[in-house]
Amino acid sequence: MIFKNVWSGIKNIFSTEVELGEPFSFPKIKPLNDVIKDLKIDDYAKKDGEKNLPRSDRKSLGATEEKILGFYNRLTQDSKVFGTEYSNNVKQNIDNSGIMSVYAKIDNYKKTTTNWFNEKKKESKNFKYFTDEKIKEAVNRYKEFRKNNSLNRRANYPVSTRFYTAQVFAIFVLECFINGWFLKEVTTQGLLGGLSIAIIISVFNVGFGYLYGKLIFPFKNHINSSKKIFGNLSIILISVWFLFVNFFTAHYREEVIVNNNVPLTEIFQKILENPMAINDIKSFMLLILGFAFGIAAVGYGYKSDDPYPGFGKAQRFQDETMRTFAKDHWKYFEECTEQKNHLIREIRILYQEMRLKFKSIRKMLDLFTTLDERYNIQVNKINSECKQAIMHYRDENERSRSDRAPKYFEKEFSLPKTSELNINIKDQDKMVNSLKIKITNIEKDQRQIVKHIESSYEDAISKVKDLVDFQSEALNEE
């Protein structure tokens, strides 16, 4: 039971979160009256006195006095054992804290980092020349395009054009059916005949609109002034084209219903003379829907690639080349990046661990500065209690004696001197002092090591720099 508080104290003190305060206390000293009662000092003093014990000529303590002395001596020894055992366990915990192994790992971190990345760089020597040249060609082509066209962003093109193609196709089919339904009245074959005419119209309306939006309309964004003017003027041309196609469709329906053999030249002439002379509501609806489908086709064609002409194609060529040929390069780059992030995380954890361990050890060492003092206070209190117990026995003994008391009764009693606690923490103190400078500069050292990790990483991935730039641009765009 004597060491129960010791182990509890050690356990708590070694935790970095515990408030140390009073981790343990020495064995409790009973009040004098309790000791007198427990040891039956009054009874023995009276019995010994009636028998004139100890004898008048006795020069050493009597049996009852030795009993009292033994009780307090045991208390003193228990206190010494308790303090010694506690200090030894604290010292052991300091030695077992692992702070020096953490220190050694940190001290060797730059070398470990350099060695890892140097070994990793050897893998880049195995990259195939053909692959390297393919990647270089794609990157140079892409960079040259960006430079020549003053572009400082990645191309904004859809991952798949199927979505836009599907929507344009849906518009095409929808216009065919709507126009076919409106034009079924102009043929002898009904809806089927109307659809055949409608397909031709949709090709000129939706089909041309989509191709214009994809291939010509983006030139309005070109850096070259001539091409930019062409792109802007093309808006007028496509507008005229849509007007012609859709007015022709509306007038064709209206005229053919009246005269199935009307010549096309007459329809063209009517469009030129009075294009708005459309009397049938269905023909007018055909005109409006034709404009709507044509403009929608232009929009989907424009959105199907980057708004800058040719940029989407250059970007796709680079991206597809990277995905096709840079598999080994990607693996190398990702492993280097993963190791860099791991090393930075680990060094920060090590420094945090070192801070906590150092703080805990300092608190443990601070306890030793008061342990001796507390032990001496404990021993002095035991001496005082023992002296009072002995003197109480002698007073009671003298009252019951018939002859004079021994002469040593007159001398002031004191316990034999107890050896001091043997606390030697020079090694632990030396260790803490050697780490103090390291802890003081911990932030600066951590930054230097992180900088070294990043420098070693940059050197290792220099072989795949184009790939790094490619990934960096992609991430920034996201």
Side-chain angles (χ1 to χ4, degrees), residues 369-382:
T369 61
T370 61
L371 189 59
D372 256 333
E373 181 183 349
R374 293 174 64 189
Y375 173 71
N376 290 330
I377 292 173
Q378 172 80 353
V379 170
N380 289 335
K381 285 176 67 178
I382 293 172

Side-chain angles (χ1 to χ4, degrees), residues 416-431:
K417 188 174 182 181
T418 307
S419 60
E420 296 181 355
L421 285 177
N422 184 21
I423 300 175
N424 182 4
I425 56 169
K426 290 181 180 179
D427 291 340
Q428 289 76 16
D429 215 23
K430 184 179 178 181
M431 176 187 72

Side-chain angles (χ1 to χ4, degrees), residues 422-448:
N422 184 21
I423 300 175
N424 182 4
I425 56 169
K426 290 181 180 179
D427 291 340
Q428 289 76 16
D429 215 23
K430 184 179 178 181
M431 176 187 72
V432 169
N433 288 331
S434 67
L435 292 173
K436 195 177 293 183
I437 298 176
K438 191 77 175 174
I439 295 297
T440 304
N441 299 322
I442 200 166
E443 295 293 340
K444 180 181 176 182
D445 291 346
Q446 181 175 317
R447 284 195 298 270
Q448 287 179 347

Side-chain angles (χ1 to χ4, degrees), residues 112-124 332 460:
T112 303
T113 299
T114 302
N115 289 343
W116 192 93
F117 281 109
N118 283 342
E119 283 296 314
K120 195 66 181 172
K121 279 164 63 178
K122 293 177 183 179
E123 294 181 16
S124 65
Y332 174 86

Side-chain angles (χ1 to χ4, degrees), residues 96 178 202 233 257 274 304 359 463 471:
N96 293 340
I178 292 175
S202 290
L233 288 176
I257 290 175
N274 191 4
S304 66
K359 183 180 178 182
K463 181 74 174 178
Q471 191 216 39

Side-chain angles (χ1 to χ4, degrees), residues 10 132 156 266 346 452:
I10 292 296
D132 290 344
N156 182 22
E266 187 177 325
E346 185 180 49
H452 178 76

